[in-house]
Amino acid sequence: MFGVFQRRVVSGSSSASVKIIGKSWRRTCPVASTTATCFTSEGEVLLHPRIIGNVRSICHVAQPGGPVNLRPLREVMTSLQPSVSMQMQTRMFSSSGDLVDAVVPFMGESISDGTLATFLKKPGDRVEIDEPIAQVETDKVTIDVASPEAGIIQEFVAKEGDTVEPGTKVAIISKSAEGASPPPPPSKKEEAVSQPPKVEEKPAPKVETAPIIAKPKPSASPPPPSRTSPSEPQLPPKERERRVPMTRLRKRVATRLKDSQNTFALLTTFNEVDMTNLMKLRSEYKDAFLEKHGVKLGLMSGFVKAAVSGLQNQPIINAVIDGDDIIYRDYIDISIAVGTPKGLVVPVIRNAEKMNFAEIEKEINSLAKKATSGTISIDEMAGGSFTISNGGVYGSLLSTPIINPPQSAILGMHSIVSKPMVVGGNIVARPMMYIALTYDHRLIDGREAVFFLRRIKDVVEDPRRLLLDI
């Protein structure tokens, strides 16, 4: 049998394309004991016992003297000589990967599951590749479930409120469906045809019945209205109450705060800081600082630098108890407490002792934006050796913050209030701030805590100490 065909031979990782014209197929193919599978463009499977490798495609086969327009393989196979041993099977198959699954991604080393909080899309919506379609809420962060391919959302497999793990299928995406739209509403004519004709109901004949004579009721005085005792409280009805389940983040925060109270011997010491010099420094150099570094100069960077100086002078506050041992940290990672609509998160400024004012401000700005938008990662919140909480942005005058385990202390900042102060024997108005240090009294004595808070006060009131290292 003579013919013209084209095949691709795959052997290992290399491939080659061979074109055979006007030669015997049986003579050309080497003798081998393996059977190769050939997929044609029409979905047919051709098995030949004397072909080496995997023939991916055979387009057409023509006999000598045939027309130029080659006939499909299905028509030619009926005229093959019986001496050529072949076996043909037909298999119908769809293009691979038409339907893809959107699954929950890896959520972090310490997170095994989460709650499917909400869907960002609806079935039938068009999504692009890597576009978020759902959000999974864990006890630390909120993670997006992205679409692996561009297409149309066919259906959601999971429901809101379900507990999901990494790899759990959430939705099915169809890549081939494009521009899917709901069917048009039926026309008036179709509605008229589809609706059955109305049958007029005839009124039922009236049946005369004898009037019923009501029996007179015995005269009896009505029971007196029930009166509640004056001591019984009048509770509002249940219809005016709403029951909402706690989010995973809120439950995690509540558990950690309660564990902190049960574990640590919490004690808080206070001091008062004159913010005049730091605010004057910011007002004088804020424009030049913004022009050079591209970020605004705030008060938080000054307190971070002051906390670094205090931790270097009192290393015990940067330490932590581990069983019967004390772990002293030779690095300073400052955690900044940020309040978000979903709860409190604490991103970490790594190696704060090696950063200047501009680098600290840039890092705080970046972490705050991620925390507010919900895109902050687990790694950006892991660790931390000391925490600063700024309740003053909400107007707090004084508070006793709670330690963030496994740390040993936390600094609380508060609002700036103008107060009358005695300066040089004169009473003048000064912008003052209360600062609070809550510490683990099992590890830190009152002496170290007061010295640390005093160092914060000295550096903030006179930032030149940082330049001179005094």
Side-chain angles (χ1 to χ4, degrees), residues 53-112:
N54 187 0
V55 180
R56 294 300 177 95
S57 62
I58 299 179
C59 298
H60 297 83
V61 179
Q63 290 182 337
V68 178
N69 295 330
L70 301 179
R71 291 179 293 169
L73 179 63
R74 183 177 297 179
E75 300 177 5
V76 178
M77 292 303 297
T78 57
S79 61
L80 293 178
Q81 297 180 3
S83 60
V84 180
S85 175
M86 291 187 178
Q87 179 183 3
M88 185 177 69
Q89 300 175 355
T90 302
R91 183 185 65 175
M92 301 301 298
F93 62 94
S94 61
S95 59
S96 61
D98 182 28
L99 298 179
V100 294
D101 299 333
V103 299
V104 177
F106 176 71
M107 296 183 288
E109 294 292 341
S110 59
I111 301 178
S112 59

Side-chain angles (χ1 to χ4, degrees), residues 98 100 126-130 147-152 173-178:
D98 182 28
V100 294
R126 173 76 182 181
V127 293
E128 302 298 332
I129 187 171
D130 294 333
S147 173
E149 297 288 346
I152 303 296
I173 311 296
S174 175
K175 296 191 299 182
S176 61
E178 296 182 359

Side-chain angles (χ1 to χ4, degrees), residues 180-238:
S181 60
S187 60
K188 296 182 178 179
K189 295 182 179 180
E190 294 177 352
E191 290 182 354
V193 173
S194 60
Q195 293 180 356
K198 296 182 179 180
V199 179
E200 295 182 357
E201 297 181 356
K202 297 182 179 180
K206 296 182 180 180
V207 178
E208 296 183 356
T209 57
I212 299 176
I213 301 175
K215 297 181 179 180
K217 296 182 179 180
S219 60
S221 60
S226 61
R227 297 181 180 180
T228 58
S229 60
S231 60
E232 182 180 351
Q234 297 294 326
L235 299 178
K238 296 296 183 180

